[in-house]
Amino acid sequence: MLNDLIARVAAAAGIDEALAGKAIGMILGFMQKEAPGPAGEMLQQMPGATELIAASQGGGGMMGMMGGMMGGGIMGLGAQLMGAGLDMGQMQTVGRELFAHGRETVGEEAMGKVVAAIPGLSQFI
């Protein structure tokens, strides 16, 4: 199921599947950290999500390190995604595709809880 999502995100954002998988893992990891309850429920319904999160940890170059130094939040995530090689348009495309997949997989209500729990997230999806 996540392989289909990775292919969908890669095609939509014009990036390779390795970068798409890393970006998805970073975003899911961010959601898990920032909203453990609602995101945990969502991740339980997405087989392979925790493995994707684990695989996306580390690396990210200087921008990723800056994101970590910024203390997290949506701006820290943005810096980490930039460090991984995404531009702003690609970040928005990845976010939109990931959340569309989430709505299809776990439903609008579950995704709404995650978005409501993380300040600033709604502007990226």
Side-chain angles (χ1 to χ4, degrees):
M1 176 159 67
L2 284 181
N3 288 338
D4 293 339
L5 172 61
I6 291 168
R8 171 180 169 174
V9 166
I15 57 178
D16 66 41
E17 290 190 9
L19 180 53
K22 182 172 181 74
I24 292 165
M26 292 170 85
I27 295 168
L28 292 175
F30 169 78
M31 293 185 326
Q32 183 180 46
K33 178 182 169 223
E34 297 292 319
E41 293 174 26
M42 176 195 71
L43 293 173
Q44 287 177 0
Q45 298 178 51
M46 296 177 79
T50 54
E51 293 82 1
L52 201 56
I53 292 168
S56 73
Q57 303 302 308
M62 182 59 76
M63 290 299 287
M65 189 170 67
M66 287 175 57
M69 292 178 1
M70 292 174 70
I74 198 75
M75 296 305 289
L77 174 62
Q80 289 175 351
L81 291 167
M82 287 177 73
L86 297 178
D87 64 31
M88 185 59 79
Q90 291 168 326
M91 281 187 253
Q92 289 175 327
T93 299
V94 170
R96 278 193 302 268
E97 292 296 325
L98 175 58
F99 277 81
H101 174 79
R103 287 183 188 99
E104 294 163 9
T105 304
V106 301
E108 185 70 44
E109 183 178 342
M111 291 306 297
K113 288 179 184 177
V114 174
V115 173
I118 302 174
L121 186 60
S122 62
Q123 69 188 15
F124 291 97
I125 57 167

